[in-house]
Amino acid sequence: MAEGWAKALGQDLFEVYSAGMEEYPEVKPLAIEVMEEALIERVQNGDIQLN
């Protein structure tokens, strides 16, 4: 999930790589759900502006 946040919020600032020990064929659905919910809340609160 940290890799996903870094890519979503810092793609212009960081070169992001996974530090995980296991490979997964897809992103876990719960991780997607949590990230979407948190990002929506941050956008609604004005913490993040989407261009």
Side-chain angles (χ1 to χ4, degrees):
M1 213 152 110
E3 177 188 4
W5 279 118
K7 285 182 177 179
L9 301 175
Q11 62 186 356
D12 297 336
L13 302 172
F14 305 107
E15 193 169 322
V16 180
Y17 298 95
S18 175
M21 300 294 290
E22 301 175 30
E23 283 191 41
Y24 292 96
E26 60 187 34
V27 179
K28 293 183 178 183
L30 183 56
I32 293 171
E33 182 180 335
V34 168
M35 291 178 71
E36 286 177 344
E37 183 177 312
L39 187 57
I40 289 169
E41 288 176 5
R42 292 192 66 190
V43 169
Q44 289 174 343
N45 290 337
D47 298 335
I48 297 175
Q49 293 182 355
L50 302 178
N51 296 323

